[in-house]
Amino acid sequence: MYIASSRTADERDLAILRRAVSGDSYSEISRDYGKGVSFSRVLVARIRDADLRESGEAASVVLAGYPKARLHG
């Protein structure tokens, strides 16, 4: 059961990341998943930070695949 729930969470996280990269606001994404307003922003930051640590790529290359920092949303 743990593997299935982990896979479901991974797929949800990737869907959130795709929406953020596409320009959807973090607050809208979080609301659509029934989460607090900062949920998706924090999630994307955690994924980005893990990618920076683990990818072996230059930071500029990794960061090019993530949404630019936004002050609101």
Side-chain angles (χ1 to χ4, degrees):
M1 295 298 170
Y2 174 75
I3 292 173
S5 64
S6 177
R7 175 65 182 237
T8 300
D10 288 349
E11 290 180 12
R12 179 207 60 198
D13 295 353
L14 288 172
I16 289 169
L17 179 57
R18 280 189 211 100
R19 286 186 62 186
V21 169
S22 294
D24 290 358
S25 75
Y26 289 123
S27 57
E28 179 182 8
I29 298 167
S30 296
R31 188 174 42 252
D32 289 349
Y33 283 89
K35 304 290 186 179
V37 68
S38 64
F39 173 79
S40 60
R41 180 179 44 80
V42 171
L43 177 71
V44 169
R46 287 180 179 165
I47 294 168
R48 180 201 61 222
D49 293 349
D51 199 359
L52 285 166
R53 279 191 313 273
E54 300 168 13
S55 72
E57 298 285 339
S60 60
V61 172
V62 173
L63 293 173
Y66 287 87
K68 304 295 181 237
R70 296 181 288 229
L71 295 177
H72 302 287

